[in-house]
Amino acid sequence: MEWLKTLISRPSKGVSGKTGYWRTFKPIYDRDKCVLCYECYVYCPENCVEIVEKVVKIDYDFCKGCGICSEVCPANAIEMVKED
Amino acid sequence: MEWLKTLISRPSKGVSGKTGYWRTFKPIYDRDKCVLCYECYVYCPENCVEIVEKVVKIDYDFCKGCGICSEVCPANAIEMVKED
Amino acid sequence: MLKEGIILCLGGQGGVTAGRILALACVKDGLYAQAIPHFGAERRGALVKNYFRLSDKPIRRHSPAKRGDFVVVFAEKILNLIDVKEILKEDGLVILNSKRGLNGLKCYYVNASEIALRLNLVSAGWPIVNTAMVGAIARVLNLSLDSVLSAVEDTFGGRLEDINKKAVEIAYGEVKSWSG
Amino acid sequence: MLKEGIILCLGGQGGVTAGRILALACVKDGLYAQAIPHFGAERRGALVKNYFRLSDKPIRRHSPAKRGDFVVVFAEKILNLIDVKEILKEDGLVILNSKRGLNGLKCYYVNASEIALRLNLVSAGWPIVNTAMVGAIARVLNLSLDSVLSAVEDTFGGRLEDINKKAVEIAYGEVKSWSG
Amino acid sequence: MDLRCVLLPGNPSCQGCPHAIGLKALSVLENPIVVVPAGCTTIIAGFNPKQSIDLPVVHVPFASAPAVACGLSKAYDNVVVWMGDGATDIGFSTLSGSAIRNDNILVVVSDNEAYMNTGIQMSGTTFWKAKTTTTPAGKREEKKDLALIMLMHRIPYVATASVGYMRDFVRKVKKASKIKGFKFIHLHSPCPPGWRFDSSKTVEVARMAVKSGAWILWEYDGSFRITGMSRMFRDKSKRIPLTEYLRVQGRFKGLTEEDVRTIEERIDEVWKLLDVLENTINKA
Amino acid sequence: MDLRCVLLPGNPSCQGCPHAIGLKALSVLENPIVVVPAGCTTIIAGFNPKQSIDLPVVHVPFASAPAVACGLSKAYDNVVVWMGDGATDIGFSTLSGSAIRNDNILVVVSDNEAYMNTGIQMSGTTFWKAKTTTTPAGKREEKKDLALIMLMHRIPYVATASVGYMRDFVRKVKKASKIKGFKFIHLHSPCPPGWRFDSSKTVEVARMAVKSGAWILWEYDGSFRITGMSRMFRDKSKRIPLTEYLRVQGRFKGLTEEDVRTIEERIDEVWKLLDVLENTINKA
Amino acid sequence: MKTILTGNHAVAYAVKLSRVKVVSAYPITPQTTIVEKIAEMIAKGEMDAEFVNVESEHSALSVVYGSALAGLRSFTATSSHGLLYMYEMCWWVSNSRLPLVMAVVTRTIGPPWNIHTDHTDLMTLRDSGWIIAMAENAQEALDLTIQSFKISESLNLPFAVGLDAFVVSHTAEVVDVPDQETVDEFLPERKQAYRVDPNDVFAVGNIADNLETMRMRREMALDMEKAKGVIDEVGREFGEIFGRRYGLVEEYMVDDAEYIVVMTGAWSGDAKEAVDILRKRGIQIGLLKLRYIRPFPREVIERFDDRKILVVDRSFSMGHRGTLGIEVGNVVDCKNVVAGLCGVDVGFEDFKEMFERFVRGELGEVEWWI
Amino acid sequence: MKTILTGNHAVAYAVKLSRVKVVSAYPITPQTTIVEKIAEMIAKGEMDAEFVNVESEHSALSVVYGSALAGLRSFTATSSHGLLYMYEMCWWVSNSRLPLVMAVVTRTIGPPWNIHTDHTDLMTLRDSGWIIAMAENAQEALDLTIQSFKISESLNLPFAVGLDAFVVSHTAEVVDVPDQETVDEFLPERKQAYRVDPNDVFAVGNIADNLETMRMRREMALDMEKAKGVIDEVGREFGEIFGRRYGLVEEYMVDDAEYIVVMTGAWSGDAKEAVDILRKRGIQIGLLKLRYIRPFPREVIERFDDRKILVVDRSFSMGHRGTLGIEVGNVVDCKNVVAGLCGVDVGFEDFKEMFERFVRGELGEVEWWI
Ligand SMILES: Cc1ncc(C[n+]2csc(CCOP(=O)(O)OP(=O)(O)O)c2C)c(N)n1
Ligand SMILES: Cc1ncc(C[n+]2csc(CCOP(=O)(O)OP(=O)(O)O)c2C)c(N)n1
Ligand code: SF4
Ligand code: SF4
Ligand code: SF4
Ligand code: SF4
Ligand code: SF4
Ligand code: SF4
Ligand SMILES: [Mg+2]
Ligand SMILES: [Mg+2]
């Protein structure tokens, strides 16, 4: 029943590898501006925003740089900056 | 192209033969009662009622004896009678 | 011993059920049997052919019989629609629902319609003749009455059981050979 | 003469179009060519491989080349994702979008991103480098500039035509061999 | 009403067949082509080399009818689909897709509330609690309201009709055939063997459905309105008792009084909604 | 709002993918099984041997999802179908059949208004005049109103939602999952490559749809009501101009002012109908 | 207990005796009476299962796909256009390696519309990874259905039980119906290679590597080969318990036969009678009935490569020859008669004549028996 | 005019050049770009036809069934699951004897989901009465599509043009696109045996007699035989006009070959290169490319019954052997390699090795090339 392993898949991060490399722009977080509204957390399509001890953490390994967190942030606490 | 004749069919009466033989009851028309409302004509599912010169004609070759004409006749001008 | 029969009835007359009851009766008599309804596309009212086989050995063939050792006719008017002789073997016999038999043929007859009406076995104006005909056929084929009654029991429930058993019994008794 | 190439780009960078323009340019130069996009299931952003062949005779094979006579790299970061040497033939050469070339390999380079930005060939923040890269590849493969420009003409309409032709021209002129 | 009569006598329909009555309405169409998926009408239409419908008929697979009609409509103006409720189940994507595309066709669903051709199995439009061979204890789900669902597809014409009111139905067929785009008519077609009533009662049962308020005749052609006899039965007091309609049918044997009340409540809800639609969707 | 987060980072979705946002709402379900027909989510879900959705996922053929879910529901309580608008086209019979059967499942249609996985072809729910590869001159037909059509199926729960208002959507998912029977949520999911807007704008575009009144959040659970932000936009004066919503999208390039007016009129009609429904279908 | 049952009712009883938990099907003549009977048994409380009424065959197979995935023994049935309509799901089920049983009442594909027997519909499954059997009569229909669950579940391959429209499906004949205890003894609880479960987080069927997928197909091919042994073994075991032995084929007077006729389905009974008649005349003829079409009993046929072979087909592959003619002809040289398509009756008299012509060497490569 | 086109775009241009009037299709990778291109050409006014967007493949084929019935030249295209989803309609079209053309971009059937080439999907049509061709490259895709209308319409049989997913469908390569006038010269107006018309009252497809229906099938079988001649004749005529000659098969170095490889589809090009390599080493090997699967070029293969034959299959019939292996093996003894399923790449290097092993006698009856 080797076939079973081909038919069945288990949860894992990074199915498409470290998708951080897809990025053109990078979200930069400004803790000072943040009002901890959780919008970035709720709307990040990559699910790579965490809020730990009242600080937003972006997992740049996977963040694709879509810019949604920046757009939805009511406090302009996330800025998109061109990657080099 | 012999097959064409099998694939294609042309209109004809009596597809199932003279369906009059299906009948258990026979509709008998009473001209005197008839008010020429055309209900029997409209509702006969067999389309075997004609009204010619103000007289209802039932084509007994095909009438299956369903009894609808009798039921819809507002004048009780059609009676269903057991066939012998 | 393999006997093949053709049961002719009109759609709605219960020919298929008749075949199955008969077959069940055969089993109860230790025989093998087969009831093959012929399904055309016709709606109720039209002529329907059912095939029937009984044998003391397992029956292997499944094709419809071209001619029957016996032909059963559920309604006299069927005789206008089909020439029974064309589907009867040389020495075959006919079992007919009628007040009389047919001339020029080996023929049994029973007034199944009358039996049905007598028992008030009627639906939509039609006498339900199938169980009476089963009784008649069973008698002609020498099946035991008990087996047929038991087969009817297995087939119907409640009120219908008794009345149909009665129909079988009466027809089993009343079926006659015609010598005309 | 059959040359096989592998074009590496990121989804959305227009590698498929680049391949087709190049192939068209080959036809115009009287050559035969084939552009085989590799379709994985990936969405835009991910690494995409395109295969390319050119020849003076009709090309019969359709399987992807395992190694290329040349490998084209649309973005430097692709070099982190794949080891170019693994898909390059022994004496193969690399054509790279970068300010510089690669050491230890026969390498050509052109700053296609910069050319694109210069021409304002940008979409969703990305410089559209494919036509610049086409120019560079064409130069390295010795295709005629006219043919490439004409191929671009056939591919784009309106405003896009001119700007892309310009990108081709610039890159055709600017591509350099790296000796580092 | 001239029913030139496209249905020829001696056809294979059962005694008292509602489709056979309904099909006569197609007589009023000009140069139609009729597309028929699998169903009782396949049989009624006759056996090669004969056919009992005096129109060009294209027989097609069960789920395909509106799509085939769409194809035909690229060449011809008056393409009609005549299909059963079962064909509407399996072909609901096809129907919905055609409606969304606004194909220039008329679809009539002749609804006898079950798969009759295969021997009385339940369909989406089978009435709640009705017994069929696949719901021997009565259907557990409600009747699918095809016409309202099609109305929500925003097509130019939707109507309900009944074989008990042929003049209304014929008028609707005629009207629909004059409109460009997708037209839908849901025809109520009580079937004697399927619903277990005497073959003479087809028209009566159909009328009882309307008179009891269980089947409502309406029409949308830009505006929405209750039509024909149903206008009268808006007034509940004018209706016949629902049980009259239900009791004549063998398929409802064993219905409790509570069941009847439940049905009544649901009917009330539908009337309420239709009333509102009449007041809302109203161009005039 | 706890989005324990069943969607794992590094998955294959495009930047700014609306499905990816929407899928996170499934985090609130208890022990669900998710059935996914062909579509972008097939890709997003990952490649063997890995998967990027941290729930049991059953991938199924395009038209089959609600039926497969029905089968699973014979063993499990919380079966969810997550499907695209395209799957809803081809599988509309399946969906409608499941609804009529009142299967105990929740169906979420994440509607990005085209077949994205195959490269932006029009679907039934594609907006009028939107350009796709199969409607290069703009779609000629209207957007199919799935939720209203499902409402007419008389199922216990129907709602619309938007990836722009996740809290509203999550609430609806939670609520639906507590109801027995067939639940349907139509989720509006603007797609950056498909609608041609920047990947950062997914949420904004979704919100503009609601704020302009073009997408209306509502819910039926026995009673019908406009929900969330849409309550505010009942008042037309509070809405943002429709053109704001349309102009940000590349697919609407070339829309004339008259087109916009037509769209506006149609939106008004829908609001009118929903208002009426709110007043009519009201248990309280 | 010996009683009278149609082939369809025999299947329905087998489904009940196999303790199936979910049944879903869509009506189509001549399949319908199978599921009507099941619906009736469930309504009467004689059978403990759920019956799901669906709106199409595609959904019927999808529903049982779902329930089988969840670990419930499941069954569906169809015919002809129904099979074609669920065709996509058929492939999905087999490629998912999901054990499942479906009865296929073989029927002509239209147009013209025709409800009578023809094996062409069933044969469309032959590439897909379904085990395919054909019942000769009602007894075999019952017996094969009971065995099918065991075979399917031990191989993780779906199983199609074929029966000829009307000739088997609606013919009432003597069937020995086993009792529940004996069937329970023969047929254990359902087993399957994997089961979808909310507490075991995995996905089924997502995109996989090409080569891995091809490997998966090769394993399926190998399991199909293994199925030959399993079928014979289960058939032997069935024989021990129920007194009727089964296997890939039925050999009727083939051992000493110079002429062998290969065929499948209901008409084999008529053909056996014809064989008897010719045997009485001293002609050494026998019948090899293929009870299974998949796996294809290649090795059995190979054993007879020194005989004269006639394949009688009830299905035809347009642009080549009879479907079994192609299959058997791949193993041994054979003549091919195409007969009984579209429900044309073929009885023992026809076979007698056909076999006589075969023996006299009068048959061409491909003959249409019309 | 020589230009660069993908196989899919080549088909789209062929459809335009064939003056098709109605196109309906449903998106599926890798078929989609065919109809996208057609939609674009129609929108731009370059092509005078109606494009109907439908909600499923079943409906796509239904729509063109309707338009073709009405006498309009019609075209659809699909792949894999799409083909399986419209499978019922495929049979309906062929049994209706309706000329029609469909492109089938061959693709793996799931699960697991997989969009890459595999011929199994196309092979499911082989019983149904469709003419089936496979294009080796974009040029053949274009040329066969143009020929397909002529062949289909002269035989009243539908025609499926197969092309390998991606390998042909998405590979851009040099194609000589003929001009409209020349195509018009080659391809006359649509003809068909019957046409539905409001002014000619008849029904199509209603219930017919069993025997008559079987006779209809036999006529279809005979017309399929006739198709062999028509295909060669049309291919010859095409060659005269366009300079590229077509026929049932392509023979590549077979005349003096001791070893012959039989295969179909895109990889034949790679195989030819491998043949060249072996030939250079003095090995007498050749390639017989089946351009048509239906009608099956039985007579051509028979001519080579004295050679050693290897069939390379990209489809497998579970429980027996490769699909072409079965077909060819019915005519001549052959070895059978199953390769490239599920999109696994097979290139000229593979073929070189495979053919070497074949020549050295190292291949078993059925070998999986994994
Ligand atoms: C794909 C497919 N599935 C099933 C059938 C079998 N079938 C033929 S007619 C029919 C029922 C038709 O019901 P309906 O549409 O309500 O028409 P009615 O017979 O009631 O008039 C069915 C299930 C079929 N022909 N094709
Ligand atoms: C029967 C069948 N036809 C076509 C396809 C091809 N197909 C796969 S996904 C897809 C589009 C999906 O569109 P949608 O459901 O809207 O999901 P999205 O990709 O937009 O998320 C199509 C057409 C298929 N898999 N199966
Ligand atoms: S840029 Fe996009 S992917 Fe990255 S953290 Fe922000 S929302 Fe998430
Ligand atoms: S959206 Fe902005 S303010 Fe809100 S939590 Fe995120 S960073 Fe902070
Ligand atoms: S009894 Fe029925 S068939 Fe006869 S005339 Fe009256 S309505 Fe017509
Ligand atoms: S229904 Fe009665 S009254 Fe009216 S026309 Fe007929 S017979 Fe005369
Ligand atoms: S079953 Fe009903 S609908 Fe069908 S033919 Fe008979 S009466 Fe008409
Ligand atoms: S195309 Fe749209 S829906 Fe599909 S993955 Fe990309 S962003 Fe998501
Ligand atoms: Mg119906
Ligand atoms: Mg979508």
Side-chain angles (χ1 to χ4, degrees), chain F residues 100-115:
Chain F
I100 285 299
R101 227 164 28 234
N102 201 18
D103 286 338
N104 185 32
I105 64 173
L106 164 62
V107 173
V108 180
V109 171
S110 183
D111 180 8
N112 53 18
E113 300 192 344
Y115 298 176

Side-chain angles (χ1 to χ4, degrees), chain G residues 166-230:
Chain G
F166 297 105
V167 189
V168 174
S169 71
H170 283 63
T171 293
E173 50 187 342
V174 182
V175 177
D176 194 346
V177 182
D179 58 31
Q180 185 67 61
E181 293 68 43
T182 323
V183 174
D184 287 347
E185 193 185 307
F186 169 77
L187 181 64
E189 292 249 303
R190 176 176 172 88
K191 60 173 189 174
Q192 62 195 93
Y194 66 100
R195 198 166 69 84
V196 169
D197 182 331
N199 298 311
D200 189 7
V201 180
F202 60 79
V204 193
N206 55 358
I207 299 167
D209 175 68
N210 294 353
L211 190 55
E212 291 300 322
T213 309
M214 182 169 169
R215 288 217 172 91
M216 214 183 131
R217 298 287 185 273
R218 183 177 54 178
E219 278 187 80
M220 191 195 273
L222 292 173
D223 285 341
M224 265 287 181
E225 290 305 313
K226 227 172 68 187
K228 294 174 184 170
V230 173

Side-chain angles (χ1 to χ4, degrees), chain C residues 11-84:
Chain C
Q13 282 196 311
V16 176
T17 309
R20 293 198 189 160
I21 295 172
L22 272 175
L24 198 52
C26 291
V27 175
K28 289 172 194 272
D29 274 357
L31 298 169
Y32 291 87
Q34 225 182 30
I36 312 180
H38 178 78
F39 282 83
E42 302 285 350
R43 309 273 82 188
R44 44 163 58 187
L47 178 69
V48 178
K49 264 187 196 175
N50 293 280
Y51 302 94
F52 190 82
R53 288 196 176 98
L54 73 167
S55 171
D56 50 358
K57 285 195 291 289
I59 301 167
R60 294 180 298 180
R61 69 178 71 160
H62 280 77
S63 53
K66 283 170 191 153
R67 288 169 181 269
D69 295 299
F70 60 95
V71 170
V72 182
V73 181
F74 268 43
E76 267 179 296
K77 64 177 157 184
I78 290 171
L79 301 171
N80 305 326
L81 303 169
I82 193 167
D83 183 353
V84 169

Side-chain angles (χ1 to χ4, degrees), chain C residues 70-128:
Chain C
F70 60 95
V71 170
V72 182
V73 181
F74 268 43
E76 267 179 296
K77 64 177 157 184
I78 290 171
L79 301 171
N80 305 326
L81 303 169
I82 193 167
D83 183 353
V84 169
K85 263 170 273 170
E86 299 241 308
I87 56 169
L88 200 60
K89 287 192 191 159
E90 287 259 324
D91 51 349
L93 57 89
V94 173
I95 307 170
L96 180 66
N97 169 14
S98 170
K99 291 184 206 124
R100 76 199 69 214
L102 295 173
N103 292 338
L105 284 171
K106 222 195 271 178
C107 181
Y108 291 82
Y109 70 102
V110 67
N111 196 340
S113 303
E114 190 273 329
I115 295 172
L117 289 173
R118 204 193 306 168
L119 296 169
N120 201 21
L121 259 172
V122 180
S123 154
W126 292 52
I128 304 299

